[in-house]
Amino acid sequence: MGWRGIFGFEYGIVQAPLGPDISGPQLVAAVANAGGLGLLRAPDWESPDYLRELIKKTRTLTDKPFGVGVVLAFPHEENLKVILDEKVAVLQTYWGDCTAELVAKAHSAGVKIVPQVGSVESAKQAIDAGADGIIIQGREAGGHVIGQESLISLVPRVVNLVGDRDIPVIAAGGIVDARGYVAALALGAQGVCLGTRFLATEESYANPIYKRKVIELDDTEYTDVFGRARWPSAPHRVLQTPFFKEWRSLPTDESEANKPVIGHSTIHGVEKEIRRFAGTVPNVTTTGDLESMVMYAGEGVGLIKEILPASEVIKRLVEGAQLIIQQNFK
């Protein structure tokens, strides 16, 4: 029997849709096979045929349900049609409004919709729109962070807002181990969403150098240094790499737009140049000056000390949380 399951999944553990393509079919399938909710990341541009193949490839690796994450700030209408046509289990949305119209589209296709939000106001809007669940992201999270509050204050307020409605609240931001899982449950959440911990797994599509930095470095910073031209007003939490420490005070009028190309990458089947200060993390295909590229990570990164199979991450989360509750909360 599962423990703290949500949306019919065995466990209340969600693997974040790591961008731009770090959570690919291998990682998502491994999470799904272990009883969690794995989320593919849709391309940040319209690429419906590629996305359909991504979903189909994932289905060759698992017979369990999974989902797809979409950043609403980027073109997504054609991608959305594919997600609903393929009837994945969950549509996760971020950085944009989860409207009643969008919820109706998802529900008409038999797809659950779970927005990720960063404030009580956005959570209320999602509840009113009819969302099936809410991922509430604290400022502790890695990558692009839309909110300003910490989980310890956000989660209880959103739980109070949900009340007795059947809408699971899922905590995201800095959670990497069983202690974080239990803390989120104590705040009233019914599940947790992890990004950085699943980035540092055998199945993630992150470059080995990026994974190694996650293991080696303990500190992060909330900044806007990377990707200003492509995604303005989108702050993010990054590892404090030597490159970042040198350039953390980059003048506000500078961006990646006129900076030199420092590498190349194939992202969702498309060849991309990576300029200095671009907001693109290195994946397996990336070549060039990787040490100077952005590396997103949440505040819990200092607790990650080894690369594990995704199934082992889930096993340790569940068994560790059960043990903590048994020993301390009888």
Side-chain angles (χ1 to χ4, degrees):
M1 183 177 175
W3 188 71
R4 289 278 177 177
I6 48 174
F7 308 126
F9 291 84
E10 192 171 357
Y11 301 123
I13 298 169
V14 181
Q15 161 255 304
L18 302 163
D21 61 353
I22 303 304
S23 58
Q26 286 76 17
L27 176 57
V28 171
V31 170
N33 288 333
L37 168 54
L39 297 172
L40 292 168
R41 170 70 175 269
D44 292 337
W45 56 89
E46 297 286 25
S47 187
D49 292 340
Y50 183 88
L51 180 55
R52 193 182 299 274
E53 288 306 309
L54 211 59
I55 292 169
K56 288 182 175 179
K57 183 175 182 181
T58 307
R59 284 179 172 150
T60 67
L61 301 173
T62 183
D63 59 359
K64 302 287 183 66
F66 57 89
V68 180
V70 175
V71 176
L72 298 176
F74 298 122
H76 61 271
E77 290 298 331
E78 295 303 313
N79 291 341
L80 184 62
K81 288 177 184 176
V82 167
I83 292 167
L84 301 184
D85 184 53
E86 289 291 331
K87 299 184 185 300
V88 301
V90 173
L91 165 65
Q92 187 260 14
T93 61
Y94 189 34
W95 219 274
D97 290 336
C98 173
T99 63
E101 180 186 10
L102 183 56
V103 171
K105 279 184 183 179
H107 287 175
S108 67
V111 175
K112 288 181 169 60
I113 182 165
V114 182
Q116 178 165 292
V117 301
S119 68
V120 174
E121 293 74 20
S122 295
K124 185 180 187 308
Q125 189 266 334
I127 292 167
D128 292 343
D132 296 286
I134 296 171
I135 299 173
I136 184 75
Q137 184 196 51
R139 201 172 189 266
E140 304 92 335
H144 291 87
V145 186
I146 202 167
Q148 291 295 317
E149 292 185 60
S150 65
L151 276 182
I152 200 165
S153 59
L154 264 179
V155 172
R157 292 174 68 198
V158 174
V159 169
N160 289 346
L161 198 63
V162 168
D164 59 2
R165 284 170 283 204
D166 186 21
I167 304 174
V169 175
I170 301 157
I175 301 169
V176 301
D177 63 10
R179 291 169 294 182
Y181 192 0
V182 172
L185 296 176
L187 292 172
Q190 290 174 262
V192 288
C193 180
L194 288 74
T196 311
R197 176 61 271 192
F198 281 115
L199 184 151
T201 57
E202 293 177 0
E203 296 90 349
S204 104
Y205 202 56
N207 191 281
I209 291 175
Y210 184 8
K211 294 184 187 182
R212 191 175 73 238
K213 292 292 185 184
V214 167
I215 301 301
E216 292 175 353
L217 301 179
D218 292 339
D219 298 316
T220 65
E221 189 162 321
Y222 183 77
T223 182
D224 73 340
V225 163
F226 297 97
R228 289 172 177 170
R230 177 175 175 269
W231 197 354
S233 302
H236 36 269
R237 184 172 297 283
V238 304
L239 283 175
Q240 289 191 24
T241 61
F243 175 83
F244 172 73
K245 286 181 177 179
E246 182 181 354
W247 293 99
R248 62 175 15 131
S249 299
L250 185 74
T252 55
D253 61 343
E254 293 192 40
S255 74
E256 75 274 24
N258 59 354
K259 293 297 186 289
V261 173
I262 60 170
H264 294 82
S265 198
T266 303
I267 301 170
H268 287 306
V270 179
E271 296 293 324
K272 298 278 189 180
E273 289 183 341
I274 300 179
R275 294 183 179 275
R276 184 172 293 142
F277 303 116
T280 305
V281 296
N283 68 16
V284 171
T285 73
T286 305
T287 57
D289 182 10
L290 274 72
E291 301 276 347
S292 297
M293 295 179 188
V294 64
M295 296 185 184
Y296 302 127
E299 284 187 349
V301 69
L303 298 170
I304 302 173
K305 296 303 179 186
E306 57 185 328
I307 307 297
L308 297 170
S311 61
E312 183 63 20
V313 170
I314 292 175
K315 181 173 183 284
R316 292 188 185 186
L317 281 166
V318 173
E319 292 182 355
Q322 288 174 325
L323 186 61
I324 291 169
I325 290 172
Q326 186 180 40
Q327 291 179 340
N328 298 284
F329 301 101
K330 288 182 180 179

